Every structure is written in structure tokens, then in C-alpha cells.
Amino acid sequence: MTVDYDPYSDAAMRDPRELYRRMREAGCPHHLPEYGAWALVRYDDVDQASRGEGCIDFSKGALLGQHLLGEPIPHTFMTMNEPERRPWRNILMPFYSRTAIRQEAGRLRALVQELLEPLLAQGSFDVYRDLANRVMCINAGHNLGLPRADAEYLRSLIDEMIMHREPGQKGGSSERNQKAAQELGGYMAAHVNSLRKNPDTAVRQAKALLEAEIDGQRLSDHDLINYFFSLMVTGSETTPMATAGVFYYLGKHPDQKALVVADPAGMAKAAFLETCRFDQPTNMLVRRAAKDFELGGKQIRENDVLLMIYASANRDEARFERAEEFDIRRQRRADLTFGTGPGYCLGANLAEFVGPMMVEEIMTGIGDFELIEDQCERAYGENLAGFNRVPIRFKPPA
Ligand code: HEM
């Protein structure tokens, strides 16, 4: 059976899930000869390619546009291969360990409670824009020492840059995307400049990066800008999408919502992780084959483009029972929400803490809710996918 799949087609950009299901049925990687690419849609294929010794070349970028459209590739640890990537990634590892996140738990919960309180009195709010996206941007800004108002402003640029796609648009090349990217880059350049002049003002991750040495060399301005830019962006969209998705899917499944209403602290994590599996926010990241190898019965050649479609792998019927059903009660099996191998998500511990904590705090605050379904919106994009507008209505607490 042939499936007419083009990652840039309007159908795939809007909702690729049916296409993914049909490609999975073929039981092997799906060849895209016009792009010299393979779509890896099965759990085992994404898992094996990601973990296979020396299979993946990270240096050609992580985004579809970098591989297929020649968009620029920033020099960060995300575009380095082992062993070069390790010291670059290690600068940040201490900030994202389980212990580090536990130490930040009180501050993060206080931030959520502070932003949530005025929303509770309103009787309705948008989980993505009014709360979850704000929390993650403010937190990413906090890590870099940015004022809160600036972090909140930057989130609008990130939305413009990553999430805004005109129908038929390929990649992040529109004037709107570019303008936002330049402004965000310009902001980070000014921040680096100011830290260079006043190094004593550097805090947390910014301080660690400013003071880090790799092979006896401090990081260049350019490297710092790339780090700051990436840290602002990677932390800001995925976790809020998954958190907003929790409220969408619970709204659509009242029996499961009742479980979370009855026990927010006990059920929030299961609801968050099931939403990540069922509606993976990182639709796909893209790599190159570093060598010839066989995958799922197909011969992959060195330099072939590999579309790692996590959103499909996480719904693979061969891996998950009733994979196409949303069920927060399911017996959990390891999934590919945060990927695997050398590129494993740096922020997984943060996401796994903050996402469920936001769900718990919201549900504890509102008791129960009704989904305003006709106002929900999904992002239209190739790399990220999910809800970026989920308004809910509830009875304001007395
Ligand atoms: C639900 C939320 C999130 C999801 C679903 C997600 C998913 C992913 C996935 C699938 C990858 C690629 C893994 C691979 O190559 O095998 C990744 C990488 C990454 N994620 Fe996340 N992520 C989330 C939250 C975050 C947060 C909060 C941060 C904050 C710092 C973050 C930072 C990163 C970074 C820096 C990488 C690149 C790691 C590397 O190349 O070494 N992510 N993420």
C-alpha cells in the first residue's frame, strides 16, 4: 500500500495522525524519494535508530527545514555528535537533574499559584496562554536572569517564530517568522553584551555558561547567544501544549476527568504522561544517517534524512495496547515522549514535574470544569504539534 505523505503538505501539517497510522500499517520506514528521506513512524524504528551505535548524525540540524530547505543550523550541543556534544551538554545537566528540579519545586509551585490565583476569580481562562505558556517562559527567563516582563514578551516572539505557519508555507521562512527570530536573536545578543560588561550580574544558567570552559576556552558570544536562544525556545512550548492537551482530553472524557477531579495530586502525572503519549508535542525531529544500516527491513544509506516521528511512534499499536485510545488508567510502558539516545530531552525532569504540578494546581483550584471546545485551537507546524488554545469554564471558588 502506498501512502501519499509529504511532511509539508497541508494535510500533514494540519493533522498527520491518520497518515501516520496508514504508514505504520506498512510495517517499515516509509521512503520519501523526492527528499532523500525516510519517515520513521514505528516505535521500534525510531527507538533503534536513536540508540544504535553511531547511526545518527546530529550535525545537520534537528528541524525539518534545516534538512530539506537548507535553513541555517545553529552551533549548539543539539547539533553536535558524540563525544563533542558531551561537555557542551554537561554545562547544563546539573540544572535539569531530578535533584535540581526537586530543589526548584517550591519556587515553581509558588509561581504557578501566583499566576493562577487571579484566573480562578474569572471563572474561565485559557490553560495554554493564560497559565502554562507563561509559567514555562518566565521560568526559562529566570534561569537566564531575564526580567519577568521580558520573558513574557519573548514568548510572543517564540509563538510568531515557531508556531505561525501560513497554509502551504514550508519551514520558518515567512517574513513574520524571520522578523520574530531576528528580534529574539537581537534580544539575546544584547543580554550577552550586558553580561560581558557586568559579569557579576550573571545568575544561574547564564552564569554557568558564561564561566564554562571547553578545552580551556570560554564560550564565544555567538555560542552564548545560541544557548540562550535555544533554552528560551525549547522550554517554552512543549510542556504548555501537553498541559493544555490534558484539559482538552479530560474535557472529552468525563469519566477520566472525574478521576482527576477526585484526586488531583494522585492522578495529574498519569493524565500528563498519557497526553504526551497520545498527542506528542514534539511531532518530529530530524537527523541524518551517519552510516549505512538496516532498519525495519529497509536499507538506510549514509546521509539519508531520517524523520523521527515521535508522535507516530507513541501511537504504535505494536507497542501500546489500544494505542489510539486516550486512557489515563493505562498500565504505563516506556514511550518516546522525550526521545532516547544521545539527544534525550534535557528538560524531561522539568517537564515531568511542572506539567503535572500545573494540572494538579489548576484542578485543585477549580474543582471541576467544562471545556469550551469550539474555541480550542491547535498549532499548525511541522516540528511541534498540539493545542495552543484550550479555554475552560468553571465555577469560581467562593
Ligand atoms: C512535554 C514536554 C517536552 C517534550 C515532549 C520534549 C521532547 C523532546 C524530544 C522528543 C527531544 C529529542 C530527543 C531525542 O533526540 O531522542 C527533546 C530534546 C530536547 N529537549 Fe525536550 N521536550 C519537552 C520539554 C522540554 C523542556 C521543558 C526543555 C527545557 C530545557 C527541553 C529541552 C530540550 C533540549 C535542550 C533538547 C535537546 C537535547 C540534546 O540534543 O542533547 N525539553 N525534547
Side-chain angles (χ1 to χ4, degrees):
M1 183 195 34
T2 52
V3 182
D4 185 16
Y5 170 67
D6 180 329
Y8 283 125
S9 68
D10 193 43
M13 294 271 278
R14 273 184 201 287
D15 188 356
R17 287 172 290 192
E18 177 55 19
L19 289 164
Y20 293 163
R21 193 188 61 72
R22 287 171 41 217
M23 287 192 282
R24 281 196 306 272
E25 268 175 16
C28 56
H30 181 88
H31 197 209
L32 301 168
E34 66 279 29
Y35 291 125
W38 296 88
L40 309 192
V41 286
R42 301 187 320 149
Y43 184 94
D44 284 350
D45 293 343
V46 177
D47 185 54
Q48 279 170 32
S50 304
R51 289 194 293 118
E53 184 86 35
C55 285
I56 297 299
D57 177 2
F58 290 89
S59 69
K60 309 272 170 30
L63 305 179
L64 195 63
Q66 291 165 343
H67 290 271
L68 301 193
L69 307 174
E71 290 179 353
I73 303 160
H75 180 250
T76 70
F77 61 94
M78 288 171 251
T79 56
M80 292 176 194
N81 289 318
E82 293 282 4
E84 189 197 0
R85 82 163 32 216
R86 192 150 307 167
W88 292 80
R89 189 175 147 123
N90 281 354
I91 304 170
L92 293 168
M93 291 290 276
F95 295 93
Y96 292 100
S97 68
R98 264 202 197 139
T99 312
I101 301 304
R102 231 176 276 133
Q103 283 163 358
E104 292 290 299
R107 176 185 64 79
L108 288 162
R109 195 177 284 276
L111 172 63
V112 172
Q113 288 170 345
E114 180 202 325
L115 299 184
L116 180 61
E117 203 201 311
L119 302 174
L120 292 179
Q122 291 177 193
S124 78
F125 67 88
D126 173 2
V127 178
Y128 182 92
R129 281 172 212 204
D130 294 334
L131 188 79
N133 182 229
R134 288 184 72 197
V135 168
M136 294 311 285
C137 282
I138 291 170
N139 181 54
H142 168 86
N143 292 334
L144 299 176
L146 307 184
R148 196 187 265 202
D150 289 15
E152 293 229 43
Y153 173 65
L154 296 183
R155 83 193 172 119
S156 62
L157 296 179
I158 296 167
D159 266 0
E160 280 286 290
M161 188 178 72
I162 301 199
M163 316 273 271
H164 193 271
R165 296 284 184 272
E166 300 294 343
Q169 178 187 329
K170 289 187 174 187
S173 56
S174 75
E175 210 177 302
R176 260 174 94 160
N177 303 144
Q178 291 300 315
K179 198 166 162 274
Q182 271 162 18
E183 199 175 335
L184 186 56
Y187 179 93
M188 291 309 176
H191 187 49
V192 168
N193 198 19
S194 142
L195 294 177
R196 290 280 194 220
K197 282 194 187 130
N198 305 292
D200 292 349
T201 60
V203 291
R204 298 175 275 277
Q205 295 180 13
K207 183 173 161 64
L209 289 163
L210 204 70
E211 292 174 358
E213 284 187 8
I214 292 175
D215 297 333
Q217 297 261 316
R218 290 275 169 106
L219 307 193
S220 69
D221 284 5
H222 192 66
D223 286 328
L224 288 174
I225 294 166
N226 284 344
Y227 260 108
F228 290 4
F229 193 104
S230 309
L231 287 167
M232 219 40 226
V233 171
T234 48
S236 296
E237 311 280 353
T238 44
T239 313
M241 273 182 177
T243 308
V246 169
F247 286 83
Y248 180 84
Y249 292 111
L250 290 182
K252 300 285 282 175
H253 297 86
D255 55 327
Q256 297 184 47
K257 184 178 70 170
L259 298 174
V260 186
V261 169
D263 182 10
M267 293 304 293
K269 190 158 187 182
F272 181 79
L273 293 180
E274 174 64 352
T275 303
C276 288
R277 184 199 69 79
F278 187 72
D279 194 359
Q280 157 70 290
T282 318
N283 174 38
M284 75 165 90
L285 292 175
V286 184
R287 319 289 191 197
R288 292 278 168 134
K291 60 179 184 187
D292 291 359
F293 59 94
E294 204 190 294
L295 190 68
K298 298 283 177 185
Q299 184 59 49
I300 308 291
R301 299 273 172 219
E302 183 178 341
N303 207 36
D304 281 355
V305 176
L306 303 175
L307 278 51
M308 304 288 194
I309 308 189
Y310 305 104
S312 175
N314 267 356
R315 281 198 181 202
D316 188 345
E317 303 74 4
R319 170 81 186 173
F320 304 101
E321 268 179 38
R322 300 174 290 108
E324 300 271 6
E325 268 177 48
F326 177 81
D327 186 358
I328 66 172
R329 294 157 295 206
R330 75 171 56 241
Q331 193 73 31
R332 292 221 67 76
R333 264 197 109 174
D335 61 33
L336 286 169
T337 291
F338 299 109
T340 184
Y344 183 77
C345 178
L346 180 75
N349 290 323
L350 174 65
E352 281 198 17
F353 172 72
V354 182
M357 186 265 284
M358 290 195 277
V359 173
E360 179 196 333
E361 287 294 331
I362 296 172
M363 292 303 283
T364 306
I366 64 182
D368 199 353
F369 72 94
E370 191 189 318
L371 182 68
I372 309 179
E373 198 182 343
D374 61 348
Q375 289 176 25
C376 291
E377 284 172 19
R378 285 181 73 81
Y380 180 80
E382 63 278 37
N383 297 110
L384 293 188
F387 287 98
N388 61 349
R389 187 156 191 234
V390 175
I392 54 171
R393 196 181 290 126
F394 52 89
K395 203 161 156 273

